[in-house]
Amino acid sequence: MPTLYHHPMSSASRFVRLILAEYGYQADLIEEQTWEKRRDFLALNPAGTLPVYVDDSMRALCGASVISEYLDETHGVLKRDRRLLAEDPFQRAEIRRLSEWFMQKMENDVTKPLARERVYKLQMTTDQGGGAPDSKVLRTARANIRQHMRYLTWLAGSRQWLAGERMSYADLAAAASISILDYLGEIDWADAPVVKEWYQRLKSRPSFRPMLTERVRGLTPVSHYADLDF
């Protein structure tokens, strides 16, 4: 069986997990703490980043965008109306644009700094960079949430799904990031009813169930995290 090296608070890892689940493929999950810089993991991915997908032939694919393209080319093309990348070239470009927005811009603006300050630092030693959260980083990331929620509100309010008429990688990339922020209680859902309705549709899918049951050591999620009607 293929193996996915991941971390439960990595949005890129969650993105790939959702793709695999939507396509009905299983992979053994190995939680990787990248700050430990394990030699065996660096042999798979010298960049030391997540996720890393190792196929049945022990070939390693590194990074969410690379893995998602590989999964589309090997599995998605067989799914027809369940394919997560559109057949139309322009529509495919829009899906890729939005996936990149959530996996890169939102990741750097919001998800990564909040996960690092509130989760990773609790699991790191002092030598690895652990310690108390940086209040300035938290303030900046929380201020940035508003911009991304406004954009999500526009997308979810003007389209059936974020990139068009069908659910796509764009929705899974956004939901991967939003689910981490929701776990941490960083989203005021009362201010984002349109995004909430869209997220409820994603959250209710079978592909989401395993993540909703997971818990991060030492950090309990908000009370509504696993509720489908919240």
Side-chain angles (χ1 to χ4, degrees), residues 11-229:
S11 59
S13 298
R14 288 189 171 214
F15 176 41
V16 171
R17 289 178 63 187
L18 287 170
I19 295 171
L20 289 168
E22 287 291 335
Y23 281 159
Y25 288 92
Q26 294 183 334
D28 286 329
L29 298 178
I30 297 179
E31 183 174 329
E32 186 69 33
Q33 297 180 330
T34 55
W35 52 87
E36 293 182 349
K37 299 180 180 179
R38 288 194 311 112
R39 181 175 299 178
D40 289 347
F41 179 68
L42 292 175
L44 293 172
N45 182 13
T49 56
L50 293 170
V52 174
Y53 180 81
V54 181
D55 70 7
D56 288 327
S57 300
M58 299 304 294
R59 297 173 298 186
L61 297 165
C62 307
S65 61
V66 172
I67 298 169
S68 66
E69 291 288 337
Y70 171 80
L71 292 175
D72 175 70
E73 292 170 2
T74 56
H75 302 321
V77 292
L78 305 175
K79 298 299 181 179
R80 298 187 178 181
D81 61 338
R82 291 181 53 225
R83 190 178 183 181
L84 296 168
L85 269 176
E87 290 75 20
D88 176 73
F90 185 84
Q91 191 65 29
R92 287 170 69 89
E94 174 67 354
I95 292 169
R96 288 184 174 116
R97 180 187 74 84
L98 289 174
S99 298
E100 182 176 305
W101 175 280
F102 296 111
M103 287 291 98
Q104 294 189 26
K105 182 168 177 55
M106 187 172 182
E107 174 76 1
N108 292 326
D109 288 351
V110 179
T111 319
K112 184 176 180 179
L114 285 175
R116 176 178 172 80
E117 296 302 320
R118 295 197 54 194
V119 182
Y120 299 159
K121 280 189 171 182
L122 297 177
Q123 301 176 357
M124 295 175 174
T125 65
T126 303
D127 291 341
Q128 292 168 339
D134 185 322
S135 59
K136 183 178 179 180
V137 172
L138 291 176
R139 283 197 302 273
T140 301
R142 285 166 175 161
N144 288 336
I145 290 175
R146 292 191 289 271
Q147 171 199 357
H148 289 279
M149 293 301 285
R150 284 195 294 269
Y151 189 39
L152 262 173
T153 295
W154 182 83
L155 289 170
S158 60
R159 303 171 175 183
Q160 185 171 346
W161 294 95
L162 297 188
E165 297 301 311
R166 282 166 42 183
M167 187 184 73
S168 70
Y169 278 169
D171 297 280
L172 301 188
S177 291
I178 291 295
S179 64
I180 290 176
L181 300 179
D182 192 39
Y183 186 104
L184 298 174
E186 294 287 353
I187 298 177
D188 185 350
W189 289 113
D191 290 340
V194 175
V195 179
K196 180 179 178 180
E197 190 276 332
W198 161 83
Y199 182 54
Q200 283 177 317
R201 283 190 284 156
L202 269 296
K203 194 177 182 180
S204 299
R205 298 184 68 83
S207 60
F208 241 87
R209 290 172 189 163
M211 293 192 302
L212 295 178
T213 63
E214 292 178 355
R215 298 294 179 266
V216 176
R217 175 171 52 85
L219 186 63
T220 303
V222 293
S223 58
H224 66 259
Y225 173 69
D227 294 342
L228 303 182
D229 185 16

